[in-house]
Amino acid sequence: MRLQYPDTIRVVRVPCTGKVDIIHILRSFEKGADGVYVVGCMEGDCRFNNGNIRAKKRVALAKKILDTIGIGGERVQMFNLSSAEGPKFAQYAVEMTDKIKELGANPIKKAFKKKAA
Amino acid sequence: MIVAEKKPMEEIIEEVKGYNKILIAGCNECVTVCEAGGKKEVQVLASALRMYFMNQGKEIKIDEVTLERQCDHEYLEEIRNIIDQYDAVLSLACGVGVQFMAEKYFTTPILPGVNTCFLGATEERGFWTERCQACGQCILARTGGICPVSRCAKRLLNGPCGGSTKGKCEIDSNVDCAWQLIIDRLKALGRLEQDYEKLTPIKDWSTDRAGGPRKVVREDVRI
């Protein structure tokens, strides 16, 4: 299965989405990412029991924080799939990329560009 | 431990928006355990504030530090040589830490980043409940180890009152009646006769807040 997905995505591998903390998501935006999505196993199928449920809650909190500070909570999202669903992985990558393209660049970058100009 | 809650981000932004150089100071003790003001919360808040101000086009310096405790001189001294670099400190410690830091660094505004709630226990992760009101005169020996001062809505010393229904308090059906808990425990301990049947005399509340701000002086350990 040699599937294509947008090359704008940087994959950060973690042992379980339960490892993903709010600070990891926030730092990505602080460093200029336009969007972040977390891809975890199906709910109820976590090898570590509830890692993906924890990730879901952290993503929800990250959304709330990003909304409050004006970056936009819709730039972060969680997806769930099984490890056998390669095509879905590629599909989610396309979906997320399209959504971020629609939203435009991270407003922090825009603010800085404006200042530099 | 002292249980605190994070202040809403909007309130913190309002607090700090007039300053250009801010130090966010966490505390490694109680507020770390109740996940309101430890190193992790400092990182998240600092990152969020940095992004907020960047987005506003403002260049603001926001640094992070987490002290072992903010209620002891020696740990607060650790920031003495850097404090002058900042216009304000946002302390994520409990009210004690914020005030102690403010006393020590008299000319630097010290702002609170959490709401200090109560003295309580971690029932489970993310769920804390009150256990003590620091009344200054512990009566737990007579009440089966359950505190009616902190857990009875009326602070009754000879309960329960008429509002106790099926072991729950009239203020909220999810709140246990402290006196029901006391009676159940005394029964289990076989101490109902000795402890419950004896009337508790009027409590001396002068050791509580009624006597004004309190202090403890231990001449034997003072240096």
Side-chain angles (χ1 to χ4, degrees):
Chain A
M1 215 187 296
R2 288 184 176 275
L3 297 167
Q4 294 292 315
Y5 64 88
D7 60 358
T8 47
I9 289 165
R10 297 284 170 271
V11 178
V12 180
R13 294 203 297 180
V14 285
C16 168
T17 48
K19 175 71 191 162
V20 180
D21 202 276
I22 299 163
I23 190 64
H24 299 137
I25 301 174
L26 293 187
R27 286 245 171 92
S28 312
F29 284 102
E30 205 182 329
K31 289 183 174 177
D34 299 319
V36 172
Y37 68 105
V38 178
V39 188
C41 302
M42 299 299 285
E43 284 185 20
D45 270 348
C46 177
R47 280 176 188 236
F48 304 100
N49 296 335
N50 50 13
N52 48 5
I53 306 291
R54 287 182 177 197
K56 185 183 171 186
K57 288 183 178 176
R58 288 168 189 162
V59 166
L61 182 57
K63 267 181 188 288
K64 213 175 133 200
I65 294 175
L66 291 169
D67 270 333
T68 310
I69 60 176
I71 307 291
E74 65 275 21
R75 291 177 181 276
V76 56
Q77 202 173 327
M78 171 120 194
F79 293 100
N80 297 87
L81 47 72
S82 92
S83 53
E85 292 178 303
K88 225 170 199 179
F89 181 89
Q91 180 201 322
Y92 287 152
V94 174
E95 266 176 37
M96 192 66 189
T97 309
D98 289 347
K99 187 173 157 190
I100 297 300
K101 269 186 187 157
E102 210 173 286
L103 289 168
N106 181 341
I108 292 179
K109 285 198 283 190
K110 278 193 217 161
F112 264 74
K113 255 184 208 158
K114 219 182 191 178
K115 223 177 154 204
Chain B
M1 70 172 162
I2 294 170
V3 179
E5 244 181 336
K6 288 191 259 188
K7 271 190 185 290
M9 189 72 75
E10 295 88 342
E11 189 181 334
I12 292 180
I13 289 171
E14 273 304 305
E15 267 181 22
V16 303
K17 71 178 180 193
Y19 302 102
N20 292 322
K21 285 172 268 173
I22 303 159
L23 178 67
I24 302 183
C27 179
N28 254 340
E29 295 284 343
C30 315
V31 287
T32 295
V33 182
C34 64
E35 304 187 44
K39 194 176 177 186
K40 219 169 176 179
E41 289 73 31
V42 169
Q43 288 176 336
V44 170
L45 185 59
S47 175
L49 286 179
R50 271 194 294 265
M51 281 196 276
Y52 173 79
F53 288 115
M54 275 191 237
N55 198 16
Q56 302 283 312
K58 283 187 201 164
E59 250 180 70
I60 288 194
K61 176 182 165 164
I62 298 176
D63 288 342
E64 306 164 23
V65 69
T66 301
L67 303 175
E68 195 56 38
R69 275 198 289 283
Q70 292 193 23
C71 51
D72 269 320
H73 287 295
E74 57 261 54
Y75 300 114
L76 282 179
E77 282 299 328
E78 288 173 5
I79 55 166
R80 181 164 296 282
N81 51 0
I82 57 163
I83 193 126
D84 288 340
Q85 300 168 21
Y86 303 98
D87 298 336
V89 178
L90 180 64
S91 165
L92 299 196
C94 68
V96 180
V98 176
Q99 291 183 62
F100 212 40
M101 191 185 283
E103 284 167 35
K104 198 173 260 301
Y105 301 112
F106 205 63
T107 54
T108 306
I110 315 289
L111 313 163
V114 302
N115 290 324
T116 309
C117 303
F118 50 76
L119 302 182
T122 311
E123 298 247 2
E124 57 189 68
R125 191 165 173 201
F127 178 37
W128 296 271
T129 51
E130 186 164 17
R131 285 290 186 281
C132 179
Q133 290 218 330
C135 72
Q137 210 178 61
C138 194
I139 54 163
L140 287 170
R142 293 197 301 279
T143 57
I146 291 147
C147 175
V149 177
S150 58
R151 301 186 66 186
C152 168
K154 291 177 176 170
R155 293 177 149 203
L156 286 184
L157 297 180
N158 295 288
C161 70
S164 175
T165 312
K166 291 180 184 164
K168 298 293 176 188
C169 178
E170 65 182 338
I171 61 157
D172 185 338
S173 58
N174 294 315
V175 174
D176 287 325
C177 166
W179 274 98
Q180 184 67 56
L181 297 176
I182 293 170
I183 290 166
D184 292 347
R185 181 109 205 281
L186 288 177
K187 254 189 217 167
L189 294 170
R191 293 193 58 88
L192 210 52
E193 277 295 312
Q194 299 100 303
D195 292 337
Y196 184 64
E197 295 302 336
K198 237 190 295 172
L199 278 182
T200 307
I202 294 170
K203 189 172 157 65
D204 174 9
W205 289 104
S206 67
T207 56
D208 190 76
R209 274 286 299 152
R214 296 166 283 177
K215 57 183 160 195
V216 173
V217 183
R218 283 268 313 274
E219 288 301 341
D220 59 327
V221 291
R222 287 186 99 173
I223 300 167

